[in-house]
Amino acid sequence: MNIRKLLSIISISFVFAQLSIFADDLSENYSKASVSIKYFNKSIYYPGDAEVNPIMVHITIKNNGTDTLRFKLADERAFSLDFNAYTVRNDSLEQTANIIEKRTTNQTVYFREIALEQGEEYSFVENVKDYLKIEESSVYYLELFFYPELYKSKYLTLKSNRLTLEIKPSTSAASSIYIPVKDNSVEILKPLDLSPDKVVEQTIIARQKSLWDQYFLYMDVEAMLQRNPSLKKKYIKVSAEERERMLQSFKADLMQARIDNDIIAIPESFQIEKTTYSPTEGSVSVIEWFKYPNFSEKKRYTYKMRQREGIWQIYDYNVVNLGTE
């Protein structure tokens, strides 16, 4: 081996050694940093449009060490982080075309350097659908990769905790969903642990099919009765036995359309518009269309929900008329 070739090998080895030391030093700088994610205003998530049904995630970078933590944060967040979502079969979601285009186009990346002292945090919110193509309903595991030295320095990565992300079927098909039932079944129906939107969806479909047992399955009949001030005044004064008779009578009046016509009205079609809920309270907004001989009427129903022993129930509602079509 000649001297020139030997010197070249030594020089290359020296460069790689220097790069390795540099990378190790930078990694050490971020060894006490952590990144965590949680849902921001958690809702029901569906495939499709990022603006209509966003998946907002709250991201927090924290300095767990004693030294000052410094990192770069790009004004265009696509150069500072990645979301990754995968199924139990380890099938990953693809990145959006917009993200790919940004990273493959020559442009100046503007950023600011942020410094965190011991125990300090820096947080911001991002829409997962701006990063990932979510086109099918499924259960995914969601995590985030943060690049403290920006995207082009991906050898430095901070990985977040993992969230379970449930994507439900698109609501556009809600009015055509079939509830498997036996009309003459004597089987006792038991409520299932369904999400608030699914409870409302099944209740409306049960009404469309006049399946009264299913219609009342997720309804807090006692609370609905007490929406009427005079019935409430009487109900709270009578015995437990009389209360039960009042509840049965109230259900019979609903079934025969003698009272509260709005809640038992039969829509020709419907579409769930918006669902929000906390661990115990929820609200489901639904657009419903009612067909008459010469026109169709459009209304917005807002069903108020609460959870009892793991089961969501409808306990109140209001209606807004949206005109005729």
Side-chain angles (χ1 to χ4, degrees):
M1 182 181 296
N2 58 47
I3 297 298
R4 181 175 295 176
K5 188 173 182 180
L6 178 61
L7 289 174
S8 297
I9 293 173
I10 293 172
S11 297
I12 293 171
S13 298
F14 178 76
V15 170
F16 277 110
Q18 290 293 98
L19 288 173
S20 177
I21 293 170
F22 175 70
D24 289 342
D25 288 343
L26 282 175
S27 296
E28 179 62 26
N29 290 341
Y30 301 110
S31 63
K32 299 298 183 181
S34 65
V35 59
S36 60
I37 58 175
K38 63 181 179 180
Y39 290 113
F40 181 79
N41 292 336
K42 187 173 182 181
S43 183
I44 304 296
Y45 304 123
Y46 303 98
D49 196 279
E51 294 184 6
V52 175
N53 182 237
I55 302 175
M56 307 305 292
V57 169
H58 187 270
I59 303 163
T60 299
I61 298 111
K62 183 176 181 179
N63 181 8
N64 298 308
T66 56
D67 297 330
T68 301
L69 171 69
R70 290 184 171 83
F71 59 89
K72 298 180 176 68
L73 185 65
D75 294 345
E76 177 55 69
R77 298 287 196 257
F79 295 99
S80 281
L81 59 94
D82 266 324
F83 282 102
N84 179 38
Y86 54 94
T87 66
V88 291
R89 296 191 302 271
N90 211 31
D91 298 326
S92 297
L93 292 177
E94 297 180 3
Q95 292 180 326
T96 61
N98 188 39
I99 288 292
I100 295 173
E101 181 181 356
K102 286 178 181 178
R103 291 175 175 171
T104 55
T105 302
N106 288 330
Q107 60 178 294
T108 301
V109 177
Y110 296 96
F111 66 89
R112 51 182 170 149
E113 187 174 82
I114 294 177
L116 299 179
E117 299 302 327
Q118 180 180 5
E120 289 185 338
E121 300 176 347
Y122 183 87
S123 299
F124 54 96
V125 176
E126 287 293 298
N127 184 356
V128 175
K129 286 186 177 180
D130 288 338
Y131 295 79
L132 297 175
K133 292 167 60 177
I134 302 178
E135 299 175 336
E136 296 181 359
S137 60
S138 185
V139 175
Y140 300 94
Y141 299 111
L142 179 70
E143 59 191 10
L144 177 136
F145 297 101
F146 181 73
Y147 310 122
E149 292 293 324
L150 304 183
Y151 177 75
K152 291 185 177 180
S153 302
K154 290 178 67 176
Y155 58 86
L156 282 172
T157 304
L158 297 177
K159 185 178 179 180
S160 77
N161 56 303
R162 187 179 70 178
L163 299 177
T164 300
L165 172 62
E166 183 178 4
I167 303 297
K168 294 185 174 295
S170 175
T171 57
S172 60
S175 60
S176 63
I177 292 175
Y178 171 72
I179 304 178
V181 295
K182 298 177 181 178
D183 291 345
N184 298 316
S185 173
V186 295
E187 182 180 354
I188 297 175
L189 293 174
K190 295 182 179 179
L192 303 175
D193 181 11
L194 302 178
S195 60
D197 61 324
K198 186 62 68 175
V199 165
V200 169
E201 176 186 299
Q202 293 206 9
T203 299
I204 295 174
I205 296 173
R207 181 66 191 100
Q208 287 176 324
K209 297 176 180 290
S210 295
L211 302 173
W212 289 105
D213 285 345
Q214 291 199 28
Y215 176 74
F216 290 117
L217 189 61
Y218 296 99
M219 187 176 292
D220 186 342
V221 179
E222 183 181 45
M224 297 295 281
L225 178 149
Q226 294 186 71
R227 293 178 73 250
N228 183 310
S230 61
L231 288 177
K232 179 179 180 180
K233 185 176 180 180
K234 180 180 178 181
Y235 185 82
I236 61 178
K237 292 181 179 180
V238 299
S239 65
E241 184 177 352
E242 181 60 25
R243 286 184 180 182
E244 182 59 28
R245 282 198 291 267
M246 285 186 67
L247 291 176
Q248 294 305 319
S249 177
F250 179 76
K251 290 169 68 174
D253 287 342
L254 285 176
M255 293 167 66
Q256 295 176 43
R258 289 197 290 256
I259 57 173
D260 217 347
N261 289 330
D262 280 330
I263 192 62
I264 58 165
I266 305 175
E268 181 187 46
S269 61
F270 68 95
Q271 182 174 345
I272 294 178
E273 183 181 43
K274 182 180 180 182
T275 302
T276 57
Y277 64 96
S278 69
T280 57
E281 292 278 339
S283 174
V284 181
S285 174
V286 185
I287 302 297
E288 300 184 26
W289 288 266
F290 300 84
K291 189 172 183 180
Y292 299 96
N294 299 318
F295 66 95
S296 290
E297 194 172 26
K298 182 179 179 182
K299 299 182 179 182
R300 175 181 288 112
Y301 278 65
T302 301
Y303 298 89
K304 297 181 181 180
M305 319 280 294
R306 60 186 168 211
Q307 191 180 68
R308 289 182 172 177
E309 299 179 351
I311 303 298
W312 286 98
Q313 291 183 313
I314 300 169
Y315 73 92
D316 199 359
Y317 74 99
N318 60 61
V319 184
V320 176
N321 292 321
L322 300 178
T324 58
E325 297 180 342

